[in-house]
């Protein structure tokens, strides 16, 4: 896509230059260029991006990174604001929006020109790398509305702290946050670079609260129509909501102007993040039959039990020759299914994580960084998770160690920063 384009043409083509999101002021610059991004006069002869069209549009009615295809990697970060006052928040969101527009176009971030006393604007580890389908998604935590920024009256009712669930062992330092950034890309270094530079731009205004690096959702696997496997070895995402289906997204994911108590959230959505550690050593000791009965699907194919194809419809009524349900009573997919939960559904977009070894037990500290999007967590994630924590056979192997909810505002256009409908 970017072959032969000058940087100016690229930005004009992606709408970024006209939208005013890229600072063009004299005295700003990166001093360096990313792969395929030639200088403004295109005299550098920089090589084209090796993998061509690997950008996801930043501008739009909805933020990217929600309905857009899953990438292979995610870095998820939560921040605490140290500054107070709406101006500080607005300045940070404006700087983040500009930076995210550049980063997702495969460009380095801009800032004061480097000099004897001025470090380079961009940290540099993604120089020479293509945009790798990078998406950067922002969210606002419930604590952002606690009065420090004059936003108490604008707190959506749906942005309520999650209640405790049976079996949770939450670590406060891995939970909550005033703001979150979800950076997804097909290259781990590109995703990390985005968060690294946004954290740097927040210096003096916000500090990192936690950061989770994740893996496991290669787009090339997804494009075969088969869901990628999680650390249990099962395909995960098969019976997810279809993010390309507008009617489904309007029904379950995008906040609707007519029903929200806070019109600034129209076109946005709510993100629930749960760091779920899986006791893999215990899981791995199970026979294949026990594993399959726990999930309700065939491990090799991903098909629902009793079926042969991954995408065969789940029939929760089916009985075996022994007159017992083919999909057991406490199987994960039965307990999580919309029909078991009053028709409620969520858009799942989680990734696996592996954070080394738990020093106490000598076991893996690995699992699923579960992320889901919905119109209202009080009617979607919360009741579904309440049921799973009590009735799901899988919950025996799971411990949530982190938990957070964020309001993701609508997307941006026309040079406006993230949160412009709020501030
Ligand atoms: C470590 C934690 C988890 C693992 C390993 C896991 C794994 C899986 C797997 C293998 C499937 C079947 C394939 C598919 O349709 O995607 C599935 C389905 C599903 N999971 Fe999970 N899951 C986890 C946590 C959760 C949580 C916390 C929720 C929601 C609160 C959830 C909601 C669902 C839903 C809604 C389905 C689809 C059910 C249906 O067929 O209608 N999962 N999960």
């Amino acid at each position: 896509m970017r072959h032969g384009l000058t940087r100016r043409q690229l930005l004009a083509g992606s709408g970024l230059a006209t939208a005013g999101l890229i600072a063009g002021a004299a005295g700003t610059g990166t001093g360096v260029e990313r792969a395929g991004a030639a200088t403004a006069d295109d005299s550098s002869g920089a090589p084209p991006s090796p993998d061509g069209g690997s950008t996801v549009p930043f501008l739009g009615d909805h933020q990217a990174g929600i309905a857009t295809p899953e990438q292979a990697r995610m870095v998820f970060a939560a921040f605490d604001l140290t500054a107070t006052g709406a101006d500080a928040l607005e300045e940070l969101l404006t700087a983040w929006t500009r930076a995210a527009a550049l980063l997702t176009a495969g460009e380095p971030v801009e800032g004061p020109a480097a000099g004897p006393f001025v470090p380079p604007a961009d940290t540099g580890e993604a120089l020479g790398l293509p945009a790798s389908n990078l998406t950067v998604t922002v969210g606002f935590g419930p604590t952002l509305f606690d009065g420090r920024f004059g936003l108490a009256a604008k707190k959506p009712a749906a942005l309520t702290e999650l209640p405790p669930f049976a079996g949770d062992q939450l670590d406060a330092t891995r939970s909550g946050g005033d703001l979150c950034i979800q950076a997804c890309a097909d290259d781990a270094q590109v995703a990390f670079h985005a968060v690294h530079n946004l954290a740097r731009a927040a210096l003096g205004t916000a500090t990192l609260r936690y950061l989770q690096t994740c893996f496991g959702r290669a787009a090339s696997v997804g494009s075969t129509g088969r869901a990628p496997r999680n650390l249990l070895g099962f395909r995960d995402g098969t019976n997810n909501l279809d993010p390309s289906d507008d009617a489904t997204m309007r029904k379950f994911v995008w906040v609707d102007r007519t029903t929200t108590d806070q019109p600034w959230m129209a076109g946005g959505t709510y993100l629930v993040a749960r760091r779920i550690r899986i006791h893999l050593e215990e899981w791995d000791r199970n026979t294949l039959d026990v594993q399959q009965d726990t999930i309700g699907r065939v491990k090799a194919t991903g098909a629902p039990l009793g079926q042969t194809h991954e995408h065969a419809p789940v029939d929760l009524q089916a009985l075996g020759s022994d007159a017992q349900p083919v999909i057991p009573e406490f199987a994960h997919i039965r307990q999580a299914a919309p029909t078991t939960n009053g028709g409620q559904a969520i858009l799942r977009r989680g990734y696996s994580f592996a954070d080394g070894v738990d020093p106490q037990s000598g076991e893996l500290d690995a699992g699923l960084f579960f992320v889901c999007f919905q119109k209202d967590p009080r009617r979607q994630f919360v009741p579904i998770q309440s049921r799973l924590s009590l009735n799901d056979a899988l919950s025996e192997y799971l411990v949530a160690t982190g938990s957070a909810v964020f309001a993701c505002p609508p997307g941006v256009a026309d040079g406006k920063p993230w949160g412009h409908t709020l501030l």
Side-chain angles (χ1 to χ4, degrees):
M1 172 190 160
R2 284 182 286 164
H3 292 212
L5 281 183
T6 65
R7 174 172 175 270
R8 193 174 295 281
Q9 284 167 331
L10 165 74
L11 297 178
S14 66
L16 297 181
T18 45
L21 287 169
I22 307 292
T28 67
T30 61
V32 284
E33 299 288 333
R34 291 268 294 274
T39 51
D41 64 3
D42 206 22
S43 59
S44 70
S49 160
D51 67 348
S54 62
T55 55
V56 178
F58 178 70
L59 302 177
D61 293 343
H62 309 296
Q63 289 194 67
I66 299 166
T68 48
E70 288 167 355
Q71 302 91 324
R73 311 285 172 161
M74 174 166 77
V75 177
F76 190 95
F79 293 82
D80 288 331
L81 280 145
T82 47
T84 49
D87 288 353
L89 177 61
E90 196 168 1
E91 254 173 56
L92 175 65
L93 291 173
T94 304
W96 272 6
T97 312
R98 285 216 175 99
L102 283 164
L103 291 164
T104 53
E107 297 274 323
V109 298
E110 292 184 333
F117 304 106
V118 184
D122 189 284
T123 56
E125 70 269 36
L127 296 173
L129 299 178
S132 311
N133 286 317
L134 174 70
T135 55
V136 181
T137 314
V138 74
F140 305 151
T143 49
L144 194 71
F145 300 85
D146 62 7
R148 284 172 295 158
F149 305 95
L151 297 173
K154 293 198 173 171
K155 183 177 177 190
L159 187 64
T160 302
E161 297 283 3
L162 300 175
F165 298 103
D168 282 5
Q169 288 179 25
L170 300 184
D171 174 348
T173 66
R174 295 185 194 271
S175 301
D178 291 334
L179 298 170
C180 77
I181 291 288
Q182 177 200 262
C184 302
D186 287 323
D187 184 320
Q189 190 144 327
V190 169
F192 179 82
H193 171 254
V195 172
H196 183 190
N197 282 269
L198 295 185
R200 193 165 175 241
L203 209 70
T205 308
T207 53
L208 269 170
R209 184 177 172 91
Y210 52 92
L211 182 147
Q212 183 71 55
T213 53
C214 308
F215 61 92
R217 296 276 185 166
S220 55
V221 177
S223 64
T224 63
R226 291 179 175 167
R229 293 184 188 274
N230 59 28
L231 299 187
L232 303 177
F234 279 75
R235 295 196 180 282
D236 194 341
T238 305
N239 212 5
N240 205 357
L241 294 181
D242 176 1
S244 66
D245 179 341
D246 285 345
T248 298
M249 292 298 282
R250 278 198 305 275
K251 185 167 179 201
F252 291 111
V253 178
W254 303 129
V255 173
D256 181 13
R257 186 175 302 278
T258 55
T259 51
T260 177
D261 58 332
Q262 293 292 348
W264 67 265
M265 268 300 284
T269 183
Y270 295 92
L271 180 162
V272 169
R274 305 268 295 168
R275 183 184 185 276
I276 306 176
R277 183 169 166 200
I278 307 177
H279 287 297
L280 287 170
E281 289 82 354
E282 273 177 53
W283 173 259
D284 297 340
R285 280 198 282 270
N286 287 322
T287 63
L288 182 61
D289 280 350
V290 170
Q291 293 188 1
Q292 296 187 152
D293 282 350
T294 303
I295 298 297
R297 285 184 176 268
V298 180
K299 193 170 190 179
T301 59
L305 289 179
Q307 309 275 351
T308 46
H309 298 294
E310 181 185 353
H311 291 283
V314 175
D315 179 0
L316 296 175
Q317 310 302 324
L319 298 177
S321 51
D322 56 359
Q324 294 301 309
V326 174
I327 296 177
E329 200 54 42
F330 301 106
H332 180 64
I333 66 165
R334 177 185 290 279
Q335 294 298 325
T339 46
T340 314
N341 291 282
Q344 288 299 349
I346 48 180
L347 176 66
R348 291 172 285 143
R349 210 176 184 284
Y351 290 79
S352 296
F353 70 85
D355 288 344
V357 178
D358 175 349
Q360 250 122 51
S361 61
E363 294 186 335
L364 285 163
D365 183 6
L368 181 71
F369 195 79
F370 177 90
V371 171
C372 70
F373 295 96
Q374 63 243 279
K375 244 181 175 162
D376 189 340
R378 295 169 305 168
R379 287 188 290 109
Q380 293 168 274
F381 175 80
V382 172
I384 299 172
Q385 177 56 36
S386 301
R387 177 183 301 279
L388 292 182
S389 65
L390 296 173
N391 298 332
D392 176 10
L394 182 59
S395 64
E396 194 180 316
Y397 307 90
L398 310 181
V399 178
T401 55
S403 182
V405 59
F406 296 96
C408 298
V412 294
D414 300 335
K416 300 212 172 102
W418 272 330
H420 68 93
T421 54
L422 168 68
L423 293 163

